[in-house]
Amino acid sequence: MKIEDLFPGKMGRVELTRVAISLRMPALMRSKPTDTIDPALVPRIEDALKTVRKG
Amino acid sequence: MTRSLPPFEARDHGRALVGGEPLVFHCNFYNYWLQKTMLLDPGLEMEAVVMAAAAESAAQMLTAALPSLDADTPEARERLACDTFAELGFGTLDLTGLTPDGGVVSAPVSHYGSCLRQAVGEPFATPQSLFDAGYAAAAAAFVLGLPAGSFTGEVLTCPSTGPDPVTVRLTRSDAGPRFGPVVHRAHSAEAPPPPFADTHVDESAILAALGTLDFSGNEEGLIPRFGVMLTRHFASFYNRQSFEFVRAMDAFEMRDAAEMLLMDTAYRCAFHTFGGIMTSAEWDAVIKPQCKTQEDWIHGMVACVNALGWGVWRVVDHSENHLRIRIWDDYESTGWLDMYGEAKHPVSYLAAGAVSGIMNLIYNADIASKPTLDLDFYAEAFEADGAFEPEQVTSMAMGAPYTEIVARR
């Protein structure tokens, strides 16, 4: 799975930043849209994305 | 309804103070997104920073307001604290449960408890009324004649997470203030130029008209205006938490991330508050008749910004593709200078997001057609080709006489 699949567009970039901060992962924030996400990290990132989308 | 309030002072460069504390208008959307950003990483322990920022801003305001009381009694102090809470749009505060050891106090109506939920549309996982807890802790020390920082507050219940109103447990503390008093000294020595001349918009007439509107909290201590819930808030409260967040993230080499999110928060503020203003009956009655061109909408909105306590905004130049704004005494720069001294980087995140927000609303979102300002429309406007991005060109916090921001496509 690529970064742009989970975080499409400009809104996705902002969400990616929120997820990167919540997981304290600077490298994630600096990744390119076409970068592949380490499969072992995908569930953790998906969980964090769900959380930052909630209130 | 007569409230016991500290003196409100209008100062030059668009500043407004209460009890010596600079005040700025912000809406429930800004308050929601800022707090959401602060609480992203629990490891940063920003919850404690938010409460300390609230307590210390409130304590400083209340202490400075003390000479305005006719009689200095605990009852008079309590009324001042509770009435100011309501006047500024925070809700209603009930300190009847306060004892010398603390006790449980409440906010039967709470901006942070109820109006942030309105902004997001669903219950929160954690209580949002951190400001209330900080303010209540400061008020308790003030009422009992104790030094600032003598109490800490803990939110017990909050309508952001459940059915009950805000209740706060107050506990005695020997820790004292976390940050210490802010001396509000920073102030540009340079006089701002007059408003942009080549426009049909008469800024002084708009400011005079806005001056006739009532922006005090209603019976519930809330300020519903322009389709949002406003607060007339302590600039130091916003500055302290924003800047501590930036400094904390800097330590993890993620300052750019923190800055991006603070500008995104400002952009959302602009979308809802500026969008609300530009689609309001007040805009239609007072400002829209002056707007003969699309560019006039920029000048109309900037005139409104100059009533918010955000400093003096002046349009330098603009086109369909850019807007250059200079700001004298933007509250973020003056706040940074007062709290930390000269900055090594620009700190006007709110102003930067707001400048690009104005341009996106006018040129990408066609705000003149009065669209529904919901999340879907926000995403559409944000994702649009040719969306405006801000650049902080000069910064008063870094020693410049004014802050300059350019938003470009």
Side-chain angles (χ1 to χ4, degrees):
Chain A
M1 183 179 283
K2 291 184 163 61
I3 289 287
E4 64 191 359
D5 297 329
L6 266 184
F7 303 100
K10 294 175 192 166
M11 293 278 284
R13 201 73 208 171
V14 176
E15 285 187 327
L16 173 67
T17 305
R18 291 187 185 282
V19 167
I21 288 178
S22 70
L23 298 175
R24 211 178 284 180
M25 292 175 62
L28 180 64
M29 191 192 73
R30 297 196 172 89
S31 54
K32 294 175 190 155
T34 52
D35 286 351
T36 300
I37 306 172
D38 179 349
L41 282 177
V42 169
R44 203 170 150 214
I45 292 172
E46 285 179 328
D47 281 351
L49 180 57
K50 279 182 199 160
T51 302
V52 301
R53 280 180 176 169
K54 285 183 187 168
Chain B
M1 179 175 55
T2 304
R3 288 181 173 139
S4 171
L5 298 171
F8 283 64
E9 304 167 58
R11 294 274 182 88
D12 58 347
H13 295 195
R15 296 172 300 157
L17 282 74
V18 63
E21 283 297 293
L23 292 180
V24 290
F25 280 103
H26 270 300
C27 72
N28 51 331
F29 288 89
Y30 182 72
N31 291 337
Y32 162 63
W33 281 101
L34 182 64
Q35 188 147 289
K36 182 182 176 78
T37 300
M38 294 302 109
L39 304 182
L40 271 176
D41 176 2
L44 294 177
E45 298 182 347
M46 288 299 298
E47 191 173 302
V49 171
V50 173
M51 284 197 278
E56 294 187 28
S57 302
Q60 202 163 329
M61 178 273 295
L62 291 168
T63 304
L66 199 51
S68 69
L69 289 179
D70 291 335
D72 184 6
T73 63
E75 293 75 21
R77 288 181 177 225
E78 182 174 335
R79 191 165 167 228
L80 178 75
C82 294
D83 283 359
T84 306
F85 189 83
E87 180 75 6
L88 300 180
F90 303 138
T92 54
L93 184 63
D94 182 349
L95 296 176
T96 50
L98 175 64
T99 72
D101 295 323
V104 175
V105 299
S106 66
V109 179
S110 164
H111 173 91
Y112 278 91
S114 300
C115 302
L116 272 58
R117 184 165 169 169
Q118 179 188 354
V120 73
E122 60 181 42
F124 289 84
T126 58
Q128 297 298 298
S129 45
L130 305 177
F131 174 81
D132 303 13
Y135 190 102
F142 175 70
V143 169
L144 296 170
L146 297 170
S150 293
F151 289 99
T152 56
E154 176 197 359
V155 180
L156 299 177
T157 59
C158 180
S160 62
T161 56
D164 298 319
V166 170
T167 53
V168 175
R169 178 186 289 125
L170 297 174
T171 307
R172 285 296 296 267
S173 167
D174 298 325
R178 178 175 180 139
F179 300 109
V182 180
V183 180
H184 299 291
R185 279 188 294 237
H187 179 39
S188 177
E190 191 173 289
F196 197 79
D198 187 16
T199 173
H200 301 97
V201 170
D202 180 351
E203 178 171 309
S204 60
I206 291 172
L207 290 174
L210 289 174
T212 65
L213 300 179
D214 183 6
F215 287 101
S216 54
N218 60 19
E219 288 85 352
E220 292 186 303
L222 300 175
I223 310 174
R225 276 274 178 194
F226 309 123
V228 297
M229 300 301 278
L230 294 176
T231 49
R232 199 171 189 191
H233 222 312
F234 306 119
S236 294
F237 172 69
Y238 292 121
N239 284 334
R240 182 65 82 184
Q241 59 182 298
S242 298
F243 298 155
E244 287 298 310
F245 179 65
V246 169
R247 285 154 59 98
M249 296 302 295
D250 204 8
F252 298 109
E253 298 182 351
M254 294 181 78
R255 195 186 87 209
D256 51 348
E259 292 178 332
M260 177 193 192
L261 292 188
L262 288 174
M263 282 191 271
D264 179 66
T265 296
Y267 184 65
R268 291 174 188 271
C269 165
F271 181 80
H272 290 285
T273 304
F274 294 176
I277 289 173
M278 285 191 269
T279 54
S280 67
E282 293 90 342
W283 179 277
D284 286 350
V286 176
I287 302 162
K288 197 173 174 186
Q290 299 183 24
C291 294
K292 312 294 183 200
T293 67
Q294 205 168 22
E295 291 74 32
D296 287 338
W297 282 65
I298 299 172
H299 300 289
M301 192 60 241
V302 167
C304 293
V305 170
N306 282 327
L308 300 178
W310 295 7
V312 176
W313 284 39
R314 291 288 182 254
V315 175
V316 178
D317 49 54
H318 59 74
S319 69
E320 286 182 0
N321 297 312
H322 87 285
L323 172 61
R324 184 185 309 274
I325 294 276
R326 287 183 185 156
I327 312 171
W328 281 260
D329 285 349
D330 72 283
Y331 77 84
E332 294 166 292
S333 287
T334 55
W336 185 287
L337 288 166
D338 289 334
M339 290 174 178
Y340 308 105
E342 199 160 292
K344 293 179 179 165
H345 52 81
V347 300
S348 303
Y349 311 112
L350 176 276
V355 171
S356 60
I358 290 174
M359 293 300 273
N360 281 321
L361 280 167
I362 294 172
Y363 289 100
N364 287 330
D366 189 19
I367 194 67
S369 67
K370 297 197 174 188
T372 302
L373 298 167
D374 57 17
L375 271 177
D376 288 340
F377 188 66
Y378 175 85
E380 189 184 319
F382 193 75
E383 292 286 353
D385 288 336
F388 288 83
E389 300 282 347
E391 179 192 355
Q392 299 184 59
V393 180
T394 65
S395 168
M396 193 183 144
M398 297 172 70
Y402 50 76
T403 294
E404 181 172 300
I405 293 161
V406 181
R408 296 187 185 86
R409 288 188 193 272

